[in-house]
């Protein structure tokens, strides 16, 4: 069996590594010459509108999935007419546009921050009057890792933000003074069975995920709300594969921030600390297999390596840290790897973390 | 960093998959056209005495290891003069010959079954007089998975065994009426630190490992004896890498049966149920990194798939079984994969096992 993956970054790489033991071959499709997934599996290089290369890519594939939500919807639909695409292209359409996404979530009864679509200066001024400061101004499309967005706290920022972002379709969102950030990773197979991982607690800095912890500090009510939200989204979309929803925790409440129709950075610890990783479960779902247990084997922390990897020798020294280097070249702001801390002793884990942040201090 | 691996079977495949997250590239060397490791990493095809191909193989390798103990000692030594070979070639020399191996173990104070070297019919008759029935007659070299050996219980068997095996260098071993079989997997890094996994309990049939369980039923005394034996062997051999010793459990005692200077089939569960797998720890040792924790995350069983894989859909259905298909073609008696049972509930694990044995009943 062969599964095609659109995108050749670390998510495709980790999917491919998870697929081998199941005797599932992967093939990636990636426009860029550099591809860390191509180090571990076969790849076809081509642009997303190169239908000749895409045709070659899908030959011999039993199904196709994707590692990122900005795959052009036309490409996904074109493939889906020939080979099944999971998650369904409709999930791409919904998650590619923040207005459509938040409207979709609200229609399912999932609470989100208040927002306004901004297509003109008049829209902008009216939205500010209605929602007030502070707010977040974002491009509706193609944002990731904090790119294409700005927090606006004052009249002065308001002009800066407009100069920076104005002229494109925007969304103005109420700024939510959250207590914590969470994500749920859920997976649904072709027979519609759903499994969810324990709710994850996340910390971002400069819009980039830095640290995830599982289990989280969330209440049972919040965990239930998260599972319910994931199930509602998956049912509505006839979903197959891994879905991630990110939330703000506000007191006992939980507001959805965004969703990603794919495996997610906040779930990388599942490789080492869950019975079945998110990557394997995604492959199982896409391949038509039953899902694996999402049981947590051990409390765990995940640290992102941004810009460059920390010294491997130092990080591996205490023996409890799983080192995941994606084989990418160093570049400021780039996710090049992650660590999973498997320590039984939280003081030892703290001290490894301290070492890590010191190591990384001057890299981003 | 690149590590070369002599041999391109499932052990090299699992080493290669374990190496990727550490950003260690592997390259395999395998004479046979079919190689399941070549599906996941680069390979050079050549015979073990093809020094031109071997020269090409070692270019760019920082160190070289092997996945099986029958690598010609001359090949290992030739490479070791150019690129460090771990475990040291001396470990190959000792484990390639059952007489040398058992003598070596006894010299370290490790108890083994009584044995005699058999180089003539006269040796054979004398050994039988001294050790009596039952005994096991084995070729001193190139035996694996029960090949090249025969249990001899009577005068009649005695002649059959001689007809079958005579004329080659043989070892006659006292047959040990053991209560159980165990193996220890230990690893030593370049700074001489040692870590050991929990003692494993094994079941063989027709000389082939069928089932491993961890933790085992062994006593603390037996576990201590096993760790002590592994440490003694590794110290004596200036060992770096994973070492396995197989034992017979006889009452409270523990007798060594054989050693393998490599990762071992009885330790495949470490991929899913230990903080660090035997494959990763072997790669760490060979690469000059510190070792990872060998902590057991969950009690576990490993079942070997001999001849062919069981139905993937059925085996994956309950979600607690890790399916490891080596990507090899089916053939009677061949190890083509393994399952790791991660069930929390032993009754559920029993029922998966029952399903498995039923599935496999007509395959070998």
């Amino acid at each position: 069996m062969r599964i095609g993956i659109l995108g050749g970054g670390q998510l495709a790489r980790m999917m491919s590594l998870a697929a081998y033991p199941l005797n599932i071959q992967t093939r990636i499709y990636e426009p860029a010459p550099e591809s860390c997934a191509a180090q571990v599996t076969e790849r076809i290089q081509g642009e997303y509108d190169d239908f000749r290369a895409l045709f070659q890519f899908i030959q011999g594939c039993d199904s196709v999935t994707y590692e990122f939500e900005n795959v052009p919807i036309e490409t996904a639909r074109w493939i889906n007419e020939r080979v099944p695409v999971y998650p369904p292209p409709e999930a791409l359409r919904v998650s590619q546009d923040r207005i459509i996404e938040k409207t979709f979530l609200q229609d399912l009864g999932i609470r989100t921050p208040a927002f306004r679509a901004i297509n003109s200066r008049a829209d902008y001024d009216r939205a500010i009057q209605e929602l007030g400061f502070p707010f977040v101004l974002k491009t509706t499309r193609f944002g990731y890792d904090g790119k294409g967005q700005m927090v606006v706290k004052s009249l002065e920022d308001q002009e800066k933000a407009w100069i920076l972002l104005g002229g494109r379709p925007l969304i103005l969102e109420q700024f939510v003074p959250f207590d914590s950030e969470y994500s749920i990773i859920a997976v649904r197979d072709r027979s519609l069975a759903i499994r969810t991982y324990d709710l994850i607690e996340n910390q971002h800095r400069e819009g980039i995920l830095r640290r995830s912890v599982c289990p989280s500090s969330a209440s049972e009510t919040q965990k239930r709300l998260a599972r319910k939200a994931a199930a509602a989204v998956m049912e509505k979309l006839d979903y197959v594969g891994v879905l991630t929803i990110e939330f703000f925790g506000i007191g006992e409440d939980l507001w959805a921030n965004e969703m990603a129709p794919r495996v997610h950075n906040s779930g990388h610890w599942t490789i080492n600390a869950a019975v079945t990783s998110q990557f394997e479960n995604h492959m199982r779902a896409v391949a038509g297999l039953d899902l694996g247990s999402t049981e947590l084997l051990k409390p765990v922390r995940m640290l992102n390596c941004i810009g460059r990897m920390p010294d491997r020798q130092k990080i591996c020294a205490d023996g409890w840290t799983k080192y995941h280097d994606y084989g990418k070249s160093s570049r400021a702001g780039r996710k090049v790897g992650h660590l999973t801390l498997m320590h039984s002793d939280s003081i030892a884990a703290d001290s490894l973390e301290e070492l890590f942040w010191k190591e990384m201090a001057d890299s981003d």
Side-chain angles (χ1 to χ4, degrees), chain A residues 11 182-188 194-202 209 212-214 223 226-231 234 239 241-247 254 258-271 274 276-282 291-295 302:
Chain A
L11 303 181
Y182 301 113
S183 56
I184 190 157
I185 295 179
V187 57
R188 192 170 187 242
I194 291 177
R195 295 198 190 230
T196 52
Y197 293 90
D198 266 23
L199 198 64
I200 304 152
E201 188 155 356
N202 300 317
L209 180 67
S212 294
V213 175
C214 193
K223 290 178 182 180
R227 284 193 300 268
K228 210 180 133 195
M234 295 200 290
Y239 204 89
V242 165
L243 168 81
T244 307
I245 309 179
E246 293 185 79
F247 297 97
L254 203 65
E258 58 182 60
M259 55 179 263
R262 55 169 168 82
V263 290
H264 195 258
N265 193 168
S266 63
H268 289 358
W269 55 269
T270 60
I271 297 173
T276 315
S277 77
Q278 63 168 346
F279 302 101
E280 178 179 340
N281 260 336
H282 187 67
L291 302 175
S293 163
T294 53
E295 189 188 69
M302 191 278 304

Side-chain angles (χ1 to χ4, degrees), chain A residues 137-148:
Chain A
L137 192 65
K138 302 176 179 176
T139 56
T140 58
R141 297 172 67 90
F142 303 118
Y144 71 98
D145 285 354
K147 293 186 200 339

Side-chain angles (χ1 to χ4, degrees), chain A residues 8-246:
Chain A
Q10 64 266 24
L11 303 181
R13 175 182 169 107
M14 290 185 271
M15 283 184 216
S16 300
L17 292 176
Y20 279 122
L22 294 168
N23 201 21
I24 295 170
Q25 321 300 324
T26 60
R27 178 189 292 155
I28 58 160
Y29 190 87
E30 166 64 49
E34 194 187 318
S35 157
C36 69
Q39 296 166 18
V40 310
T41 189
E42 60 169 314
R43 81 104 145 227
I44 306 277
Q45 193 177 346
E47 296 299 326
Y48 286 112
D49 59 357
D50 180 348
F51 293 91
R52 186 187 290 262
L54 284 164
F55 185 78
Q56 188 194 344
F57 166 66
I58 63 173
Q59 296 315 304
C61 284
D62 297 277
S63 51
V64 168
T65 187
Y66 41 86
E67 64 151 13
F68 76 125
E69 58 273 36
N70 289 323
V71 169
I73 184 80
E74 299 74 20
T75 303
R77 284 183 181 144
W78 183 87
I79 295 174
N80 199 35
E81 283 161 15
R82 289 155 178 86
V83 172
V85 173
Y86 304 110
E90 179 64 6
L92 283 176
R93 191 187 67 83
V94 169
S95 56
Q96 280 177 357
D97 184 296
R98 294 183 194 279
I99 307 278
I100 297 173
E101 179 182 66
K102 283 206 164 58
T103 307
F104 172 83
L105 292 168
Q106 288 189 351
D107 286 351
L108 290 170
I110 300 164
R111 192 157 180 189
T112 76
F115 66 93
R116 295 290 183 277
I118 308 293
N119 292 306
S120 67
R121 178 71 207 208
D123 288 348
Y124 188 50
D125 293 336
R126 188 166 48 246
I128 297 171
Q129 269 196 321
E130 288 173 14
L131 299 183
F133 295 106
F135 61 82
V136 192
L137 192 65
K138 302 176 179 176
T139 56
T140 58
R141 297 172 67 90
F142 303 118
Y144 71 98
D145 285 354
K147 293 186 200 339
Q149 59 177 274
M150 195 173 158
V151 177
V152 178
K153 292 177 184 166
S154 64
L155 270 171
E156 194 188 337
D157 286 355
Q158 173 185 334
E159 290 313 305
K160 269 194 207 154
W162 187 253
I163 290 163
L164 193 71
L165 299 170
R168 282 171 286 180
L170 299 175
I171 182 172
L172 187 153
E173 296 175 10
Q174 167 193 19
F175 179 85
V176 179
F178 56 82
D179 300 308
S180 39
E181 293 177 274
Y182 301 113
S183 56
I184 190 157
I185 295 179
V187 57
R188 192 170 187 242
D189 66 23
R190 291 206 218 163
S191 63
L192 314 186
I194 291 177
R195 295 198 190 230
T196 52
Y197 293 90
D198 266 23
L199 198 64
I200 304 152
E201 188 155 356
N202 300 317
Q203 284 162 21
H204 292 79
R205 190 155 49 81
E206 290 152 6
I208 304 180
L209 180 67
R210 304 291 164 150
R211 184 176 187 270
S212 294
V213 175
C214 193
S216 66
S217 66
S219 68
E220 284 309 311
T221 308
Q222 288 174 315
K223 290 178 182 180
R224 196 175 41 74
L225 279 172
R227 284 193 300 268
K228 210 180 133 195
V233 169
M234 295 200 290
E235 272 155 38
K236 185 70 183 174
L237 291 172
D238 287 325
Y239 204 89
V240 171
V242 165
L243 168 81
T244 307
I245 309 179
E246 293 185 79

